[in-house]
């Protein structure tokens, strides 16, 4: 879809109701999220931690992102798929354009760019590629994960970045880990819908990493994550029961055996 049309569509939608985005990294999860009615599916570079076991997103490559975007795209019929441009994939506008096109070829409808990179973002939008912005905590460059914009100077920079991105024509802006008051100020000042993660209730929509929502890692629980399930516990228990059944020759029983 063309960037202006998508922006217009989302602005109108956000006037009626909150927008919902979740991450997905594979076919089965994407199919479920799409089916249940999530508006946007982000193939986030958070897959560095959730899927690949890295400590952060800094080692994620374009190859990793394309592989997972293809898998997600196979499961989605309706939702908007946003491919997260990984670190260094947008170092120059030319490189960013090549890489953004790879995301679209893999099945994404749009890309997300971390930070205020006006030349890169303008190049992509001029080329017809919808861009989602991202301000606040920027994991690709952050030395430490902490709330941003508590101090006035940092808050003003984040605010200006969001206003700049809006002026460039992004179709929405992720606000990550900022105080709710700042998120409200940004949301009221920009036209593009804001999608919060750790940014409070006043954003136009919300995003969470699906693994966090599902409780896949009980040891990881930042303040902004609400767990809607405890899958780590459920998986552990299921696997324990399987081990026990195999060791005690209860599986496979007659019901699960061909004759
Ligand atoms: O990579 C990711 O999952 C993200 C979200 C946290 C917005 O960028």
């Amino acid at each position: 879809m063309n960037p202006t049309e998508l922006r217009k569509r989302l602005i109108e939608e956000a006037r009626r109701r909150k927008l919902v985005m979740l991450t997905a990294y594979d076919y089965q999860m994407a199919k479920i999220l799409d089916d249940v009615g999530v508006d946007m599916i982000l193939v986030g570079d958070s897959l560095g931690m959730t899927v690949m076991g890295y400590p952060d997103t800094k080692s994620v490559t374009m190859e990793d992102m394309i592989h997972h975007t293809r898998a997600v795209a196979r499961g989605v019929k309706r939702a908007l798929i946003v491919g997260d441009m990984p670190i260094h994939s947008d170092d120059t506008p030319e490189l960013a354009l090549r890489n953004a096109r790879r995301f679209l070829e893999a099945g994404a409808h749009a890309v997300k760019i971390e930070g205020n990179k006006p030349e890169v973002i303008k190049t992509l939008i001029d080329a017809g590629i919808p861009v989602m912005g991202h301000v606040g905590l920027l994991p690709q460059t952050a030395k430490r994960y902490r709330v941003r914009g508590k101090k006035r100077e940092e808050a003003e920079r984040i605010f200006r970045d969001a206003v700049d991105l809006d002026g460039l024509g992004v179709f929405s802006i992720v606000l990550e880990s900022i105080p709710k008051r700042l998120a409200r100020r940004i949301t009221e000042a920009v036209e593009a819908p804001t999608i919060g993660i750790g940014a409070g209730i006043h954003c136009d929509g919300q995003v969470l990493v699906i693994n966090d929502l599902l409780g896949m890692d009980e040891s990881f629980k930042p303040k902004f994550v609400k767990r809607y399930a405890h899958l780590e516990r459920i998986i552990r228990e299921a696997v324990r029961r399987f081990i026990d059944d195999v060791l005690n020759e209860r599986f496979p029983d007659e019901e699960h055996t061909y004759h």
Side-chain angles (χ1 to χ4, degrees):
M1 190 183 292
N2 128 355
T4 319
E5 268 172 38
L6 178 58
R7 179 178 154 99
K8 197 166 153 259
R9 199 185 90 193
L10 273 198
I11 290 172
E12 277 166 16
E13 200 64 32
R15 283 197 188 113
R16 285 193 286 273
R17 62 171 177 89
K18 297 281 184 181
L19 303 172
V20 180
M21 180 160 90
L22 283 170
T23 67
Y25 317 104
D26 64 51
Y27 165 78
Q28 286 190 337
M29 186 59 74
K31 191 161 171 291
I32 295 171
L33 301 188
D34 187 55
D35 219 42
V36 173
V38 163
D39 297 304
M40 294 181 275
I41 295 182
L42 173 68
V43 188
D45 64 355
S46 48
L47 67 79
M49 292 87 92
T50 57
V51 180
M52 305 186 76
Y54 296 134
D56 51 44
T57 60
K58 295 181 173 70
S59 306
V60 175
T61 65
M62 269 305 291
E63 271 52 51
D64 299 328
M65 294 307 301
I66 294 303
H67 177 79
H68 288 276
T69 301
R70 285 206 185 101
V72 164
R74 284 184 205 109
V76 173
K77 293 200 181 95
R78 189 198 44 76
L80 186 89
I81 303 173
V82 183
D84 206 1
M85 299 275 287
I87 189 163
H88 299 314
S89 68
D90 56 7
D91 280 355
T92 66
E94 298 72 29
L95 182 64
L97 186 56
R98 271 204 305 281
N99 283 325
R101 285 188 170 136
R102 288 183 68 193
F103 270 105
L104 298 200
E105 279 158 22
H109 306 108
V111 295
K112 176 165 81 60
I113 303 267
E114 261 189 43
N116 188 358
K117 298 170 184 161
E119 276 186 55
V120 165
I121 293 171
K122 185 172 177 334
T123 302
L124 300 196
I125 293 177
D126 286 351
I129 300 172
V131 176
M132 173 179 266
H134 184 157
V135 301
L137 173 65
L138 304 175
Q140 288 173 10
T141 45
K143 290 203 173 65
R144 218 160 54 82
Y145 286 15
R146 61 163 176 85
V147 179
R148 302 295 146 123
K150 281 196 158 184
K151 297 219 175 93
R152 183 191 293 255
E153 209 179 298
E154 196 176 42
E156 283 313 308
R157 207 178 46 244
I158 294 168
F159 178 81
R160 278 198 312 275
D161 283 345
V163 171
D164 286 352
L165 296 184
D166 191 43
L168 289 167
V170 298
F171 71 90
S172 87
I173 307 172
V174 168
L175 306 182
E176 180 163 356
S177 296
I178 61 172
K180 119 176 168 181
R181 209 157 53 118
L182 175 59
R184 178 180 210 159
R185 196 176 148 221
I186 293 172
T187 302
E188 285 171 359
V190 300
E191 258 202 298
T194 57
I195 309 291
I197 175 161
I201 193 70
H202 300 301
C203 302
D204 295 304
Q206 297 292 328
V207 55
L208 279 181
V209 167
I210 188 69
N211 296 51
D212 297 342
L213 176 156
L214 294 175
M216 285 291 288
D217 180 354
E218 292 283 344
S219 67
F220 182 68
K221 177 70 180 73
K223 183 176 166 70
F224 62 84
V225 168
K226 178 171 175 184
R227 294 219 197 292
Y228 288 81
H230 292 276
L231 285 201
E232 180 180 351
R233 281 187 218 157
I234 291 170
I235 293 168
R236 281 178 183 274
E237 176 56 18
V239 174
R240 268 192 211 107
R241 283 172 44 214
F242 177 69
I243 292 172
D244 195 53
D245 276 359
V246 171
L247 293 181
N248 290 291
E249 299 181 24
R250 284 191 299 267
F251 180 86
D253 51 14
E254 281 304 294
E255 189 191 337
H256 300 99
T257 300
Y258 295 117
H259 293 287

